Amino acid sequence: MATGKQAKAKQPKAKKYNNNKKRKNSFGRKLARAAVTALLALFLVFFLTSFVVGGYFFVNVMQVVGGNPVVDLEEVRGTRAQTTVIYANDKNGQPVEYARLHGEQNRMWLELENMGEPNPLTGMPLIADAYVALEDKRFWDHKGVDWRRLAGVVRYDFTQGASTLTQQLIKNVTNEKDVTAVRKYREILTALNMERNYDKNIILEAYLNELYLGRGCYGVKTGAERYFGKQVSELNVAECAALAVITKAPFTYDPIDKLDKNRERQVYCLDSMLDQGKITEAQYREALAFELDIKKAPAAAQTSQPEQINNYYVDYIIDTVIADLKAQKQMSDQEAWKKVYYGGLKIYAAVDMDIQNIMEDVFRKRTTFSDLKGTAKNPIQASMAVMDYEGRVVGIVGGAGPKPGNRSLNRAAKSWRQPGSTIKPLAVYGPAIEKNLITWSTLTPNSAFAHLGKFWPENVDGTHGNGAYVTVQDALARSINTVSARTVNEKLKPRNAYNFLKENFGFANLSDKGDIYLEPMSVGSMTYGFSALEETAAYATFGNGGTYYAPYCYYRVTDNTDTVILSTPKGSKRAFSEDTAKVMNELLQTVPMDSYYSGSNGENIGKFKKFGKTGTTSDNKDRWFAGGTPYYVGAVWFGYDTPLDLGQMTNPSARIWMEVFNRIHKGLDASKGFKTCATAVQKSYCTRTGRLAGDHCSSTATGWYRSSNLPGTCSACTAAPPPTENTPGGAFVDWINQILGGGGNNGDEQ
């Protein structure tokens, strides 16, 4: 038995541990577990993020590509800036293009089927084949994105372009052209969306109408017209290729300035068309040999296209359509302006192109008044309007000499000047005959009378009249101011004359405060006055039986979908009865006009019946002539923009009127007469009494009368003629009133 000491010695020794090492191992395991956990977490986050992002992109792609159109091509066609075209009727009554209106963008939409006959090899117009061959040869096969071409771009470090025609259309429509991945991503999705929603033909048509071809031209229609002077459908293979190459870089391949560069790329386009089977070998050789006829701009404008200056009629149409859009469509001035210049409108003008050309030529060359020019700062000016007898403005010119620019001052429509004696038929004799206050042969003393403390008025010869009694016909023919003033003062009354003008004609600037008095109503010294156009429309009543028609310059206006948005109402109102108009017409035919012929300008117009009236304002600051033939009526104003004394001269307005009317009546039937009237009769009258001639009257003449207002028959004409009816006391009373400081009618009396 072992002793206790031995037993104790045999027991194994206890193992000793290093506490620091234990702690180190525990920390390492924890760190490893944490690292693994973090990596798992990162992987999970990456996985979840990728799943979410990928899912988002997948859903986004599906929603965009498979959704409704991102770009509405129908809306694009309706809202893109498009050129407005004004049409005028030719000699056969068919509308032809007269003028174009556009801002910076000259664009006219053309349907694909109108771009040319189908190519027998492809079934498409040649211009479409040229663009497809040059820009997107797999257009008919891809779904909006050419993935093969896109891969090639990536392969060659994006040194080549990859946009399909569909993608190019999207860039042109959205104007998003930044070189970024986000923009490219949106463009690709939009292209895929577009091709799911639209037929290839619709996309191609939109592309050919949206592309830019330099010099302000958008779309192949304006490009073909600008560079070749042709319609797209008239272009041959060589011209189609030359036009197609411009799109890549309009400045670089401009055929006007850089025909050699254009030629290099044109050959490449033709090669592509041949390789792709869009043209035959014979067409290819013919196109290579074809010499382009480029419509070059003037030498001084090779790099910047000069502004096309429209004639005065086009300006008048623009102003009128803008005003009508504001009034009828409640557009603002800016909205109406944009509609006219960018809305792709079709305006069917009432202009007679031959008459407008004649008027432009006469006024540009200052024919019959070339020696009357004024100064550089204040030149002598003139304006004229010509109408038919139902409101149609066939010609209008707003200034003399070269037209300074577009929408410059049109004096015929927008300058109001005192009318002088041309007011007398409208405000004096016409209304007085209408109201049965006077007749053709009514006698009135040619003498001034007391008015506002002075002897008034003066006649054109500077006198106050000789006191002799004259008929209405003689007073009108010789433009005797004293008789017209007496007629208004003693018979018609100033306010009645004013109301007649206001109610029966279209004068825009009559003044209720300044024009209701004797002076403006009897001799035309008005606050503002008339425009030549307004006076033309008013004088038309003397040639059409008494009906007033508001002037119009267009028949209708359609938008870019051919929907009528404006039409000129052909409403009318009666200004004079038919018999009054007939009497006035005959009275105005007695106004002497032969002295206004200049050279041979009476050769044609001298054969026609015509009526007219001259006008001269106080201090010789304005000259007028208004009159008509059985075909047309017109008015001419002549003077300074800043009024100055013109001095004594034969009325230049009448000479201008004769020149224009002589030219426009060439070839017309001179036997045509004015409108007849059964209630206006021609009668013989006694020149001493103004009554209808009796058997014993020794001095007679012939005049026209309303059958409802015939003067009595003369029974005794041996004595001196009595004072005119409604003129008690005659000249003697006027003389007494002058001495006593009496006054004339101031317009308050009705």
Side-chain angles (χ1 to χ4, degrees):
M1 180 174 177
T3 65
K5 186 176 179 180
Q6 291 175 332
K8 185 175 181 181
K10 292 181 179 178
Q11 291 180 353
K13 294 182 178 180
K15 188 175 182 180
K16 296 182 179 179
Y17 290 94
N18 189 325
N19 290 333
N20 290 335
K21 184 177 181 180
K22 182 178 180 180
R23 285 195 294 270
K24 287 180 180 179
N25 291 338
S26 175
F27 177 77
R29 287 192 295 271
K30 289 181 180 179
L31 183 62
R33 285 196 298 270
V36 171
T37 301
L39 288 173
L40 289 173
L42 287 173
F43 177 77
L44 182 60
V45 170
F46 175 78
F47 176 79
L48 291 175
T49 301
S50 299
F51 179 80
V52 171
V53 172
Y56 169 79
F57 276 103
F58 177 79
V59 172
N60 180 252
V61 168
M62 292 299 100
Q63 286 180 336
V64 173
V65 174
N68 292 328
V70 176
V71 175
D72 188 337
L73 293 184
E74 290 299 319
E75 183 179 353
V76 167
R77 176 175 179 174
T79 59
R80 298 296 278 177
Q82 295 185 42
T83 298
T84 288
V85 181
I86 299 176
Y87 295 93
N89 290 339
D90 62 16
K91 294 182 183 299
N92 298 317
Q94 298 301 311
V96 296
E97 186 174 314
Y98 189 57
R100 290 189 182 184
L101 310 176
H102 58 82
E104 295 180 356
Q105 298 184 6
N106 180 15
R107 184 200 313 269
M108 296 182 67
W109 198 279
L110 186 66
E111 290 76 12
L112 187 63
E113 59 266 27
N114 293 328
M115 293 184 186
E117 294 295 325
N119 182 352
L121 299 177
T122 65
M124 299 302 296
L126 279 172
I127 190 67
D129 286 335
Y131 272 97
V132 170
L134 185 64
E135 298 287 339
D136 189 2
K137 67 181 181 180
R138 283 184 286 275
F139 173 75
W140 298 107
D141 301 322
H142 63 64
K143 301 299 182 181
V145 178
D146 189 341
W147 300 109
R148 291 168 55 187
R149 191 175 179 187
L150 185 61
V153 171
V154 175
R155 178 182 176 186
Y156 291 103
D157 298 325
F158 297 92
T159 57
Q160 298 179 353
S163 294
T164 63
L165 293 187
T166 308
Q167 291 172 275
Q168 291 180 43
L169 170 61
I170 291 167
K171 282 189 288 187
N172 290 337
V173 170
T174 63
N175 204 32
E176 294 181 1
K177 300 177 181 179
D178 296 336
V179 184
T180 65
V182 174
R183 200 275 304 166
K184 195 68 176 179
Y185 168 74
R186 288 199 305 264
E187 179 188 288
I188 289 173
L189 294 190
T190 304
L192 295 172
N193 168 275
M194 182 176 287
E195 297 243 2
R196 281 180 60 90
N197 285 282
Y198 292 102
D199 181 80
K200 287 278 190 181
N201 286 3
I202 295 176
I203 295 171
L204 184 57
E205 177 182 300
Y207 171 79
L208 294 172
N209 280 285
E210 283 292 321
L211 53 84
Y212 181 57
L213 290 167
R215 297 183 181 265
C217 298
Y218 287 79
V220 293
K221 177 176 174 59
T222 56
E225 293 170 340
R226 175 65 186 86
Y227 295 112
F228 302 109
K230 296 180 179 181
Q231 297 300 312
V232 178
S233 59
E234 299 172 333
L235 299 181
N236 59 31
V237 176
E239 292 165 334
C240 286
L243 191 65
V245 306
I246 300 173
T247 307
K248 180 179 177 66
F251 179 78
T252 302
Y253 298 111
D254 183 343
I256 292 178
D257 289 340
K258 301 180 179 179
L259 185 58
D260 291 343
K261 283 285 187 182
N262 182 280
R263 172 65 175 175
E264 291 176 7
R265 189 163 170 79
Q266 178 208 31
V267 172
Y268 174 73
C269 180
L270 292 172
D271 289 342
S272 300
M273 294 179 74
L274 178 64
D275 292 343
Q276 296 171 33
K278 300 184 187 302
I279 57 175
T280 65
E281 183 71 32
Q283 287 177 304
Y284 174 76
R285 290 195 300 271
E286 183 180 357
L288 285 178
F290 183 82
E291 184 175 349
L292 296 175
D293 180 17
I294 303 298
K295 303 301 180 185
K296 293 187 176 182
Q302 292 293 308
T303 58
S304 60
Q305 188 175 4
E307 180 185 32
Q308 177 66 42
I309 297 180
N310 300 315
N311 66 32
Y312 282 104
Y313 203 104
V314 173
D315 282 1
Y316 176 47
I317 288 176
I318 294 171
D319 292 342
T320 303
V321 172
I322 288 175
D324 289 350
L325 286 171
K326 291 166 62 179
Q328 299 182 35
K329 303 297 181 181
Q330 290 74 53
M331 291 185 181
S332 67
D333 189 74
Q334 182 67 13
E335 288 172 333
W337 183 89
K338 289 179 66 177
K339 191 72 172 177
V340 168
Y341 280 95
Y342 295 100
L345 304 181
K346 294 179 181 178
I347 303 173
Y348 295 88
V351 64
D352 183 303
M353 293 185 288
D354 291 336
I355 291 177
Q356 182 67 27
N357 289 339
I358 288 170
M359 294 173 66
E360 294 275 351
D361 183 68
V362 169
F363 278 77
R364 183 176 58 255
K365 296 177 180 177
R366 306 177 75 94
T367 307
T368 74
F369 64 104
S370 60
D371 57 326
L372 304 173
K373 295 181 179 180
T375 65
K377 291 185 177 180
N378 192 23
I380 291 179
Q381 278 293 347
S383 64
M384 183 180 192
V386 179
M387 294 171 54
D388 71 5
Y389 285 102
E390 294 185 350
R392 176 191 174 195
V393 180
V394 296
I396 189 168
V397 173
K403 190 169 181 284
N406 284 324
R407 299 188 74 187
S408 56
L409 176 62
N410 187 340
R411 296 167 183 82
K414 291 190 173 182
S415 287
W416 289 268
R417 303 298 287 257
Q418 293 185 355
S421 292
T422 57
I423 199 175
K424 294 173 182 177
L426 300 169
V428 183
Y429 298 118
I433 290 174
E434 182 76 10
K435 296 177 181 296
N436 292 332
L437 300 174
I438 61 172
T439 69
W440 177 292
S441 55
T442 296
L443 292 170
T444 304
N446 174 15
S447 60
F449 53 90
H451 176 65
L452 301 179
K454 64 179 181 180
F455 220 38
W456 182 88
E458 283 188 359
N459 288 323
V460 68
D461 60 5
T463 72
H464 291 107
N466 57 14
Y469 281 80
V470 297
T471 62
V472 165
Q473 179 276 318
D474 190 27
L476 180 59
R478 292 195 287 144
S479 200
I480 300 176
N481 291 335
T482 54
V483 175
S484 65
R486 283 181 174 275
T487 301
V488 174
N489 189 55
E490 300 162 2
K491 296 180 174 65
L492 183 60
K493 308 305 179 186
R495 190 181 295 273
N496 290 334
Y498 176 81
N499 289 338
F500 192 91
L501 283 182
K502 187 173 183 178
E503 294 168 4
N504 292 287
F505 305 107
F507 297 117
N509 281 321
L510 295 178
S511 171
D512 291 340
K513 295 182 178 180
D515 292 341
I516 62 171
Y517 302 111
L518 182 58
E519 296 94 327
M521 288 299 98
S522 60
V523 295
S525 55
M526 306 179 74
T527 306
Y528 304 108
F530 305 157
S531 70
L533 180 62
E534 289 176 337
E535 190 158 277
T536 300
Y539 265 71
T541 60
F542 301 132
N544 67 14
T547 301
Y548 174 79
Y549 292 91
Y552 67 88
C553 60
Y554 66 85
Y555 300 112
R556 67 187 183 280
V557 178
T558 64
D559 63 15
N560 53 24
T561 66
D562 286 333
T563 300
V564 176
I565 61 172
L566 291 175
S567 58
T568 298
K570 294 187 178 180
S572 60
K573 59 182 177 181
R574 180 157 294 283
F576 297 107
S577 60
E578 286 191 56
D579 45 9
T580 295
K582 175 62 176 176
V583 172
M584 284 303 305
N585 179 285
E586 295 291 341
L587 278 168
L588 289 167
Q589 286 191 54
T590 69
V591 174
M593 301 185 202
D594 291 351
S595 62
Y596 302 123
Y597 296 144
S598 177
S600 62
N601 70 2
E603 181 180 357
N604 299 315
I605 192 62
K607 303 172 185 177
F608 290 80
K609 287 189 174 182
K610 50 191 174 293
F611 68 86
K613 183 70 186 76
T614 58
T616 301
T617 58
S618 59
D619 299 324
N620 291 311
K621 292 179 179 178
D622 301 275
R623 294 286 197 280
W624 287 88
F625 186 86
T629 69
Y631 290 94
Y632 300 107
V633 60
V636 180
W637 166 83
F638 183 94
Y640 291 94
D641 284 336
T642 302
L644 291 174
D645 188 346
L646 291 164
Q648 298 296 324
M649 62 176 69
T650 301
N651 194 318
S653 291
R655 289 185 179 275
I656 295 170
W657 189 96
M658 290 295 177
E659 179 70 26
V660 170
F661 270 62
N662 186 64
R663 295 192 195 184
I664 68 179
H665 282 73
K666 184 178 181 180
L668 297 181
D669 182 7
S671 66
K672 182 178 180 179
F674 289 104
K675 190 173 183 178
T676 60
C677 175
T679 56
V681 294
Q682 191 174 23
K683 296 286 186 178
S684 178
Y685 67 91
C686 175
T687 59
R688 293 180 62 81
T689 64
R691 299 178 181 274
L692 296 184
D695 294 337
H696 57 281
C697 294
S698 59
S699 177
T700 62
T702 301
W704 285 83
Y705 302 86
R706 303 177 73 193
S707 59
S708 60
N709 186 38
L710 295 173
T713 302
C714 179
S715 58
C717 58
T718 55
T724 308
E725 293 181 18
N726 300 322
T727 312
F732 177 73
V733 173
D734 292 329
W735 181 73
I736 295 296
N737 282 338
Q738 170 63 21
I739 294 176
L740 298 177
N745 191 290
N746 65 2
D748 295 328
E749 186 178 346
Q750 299 297 312

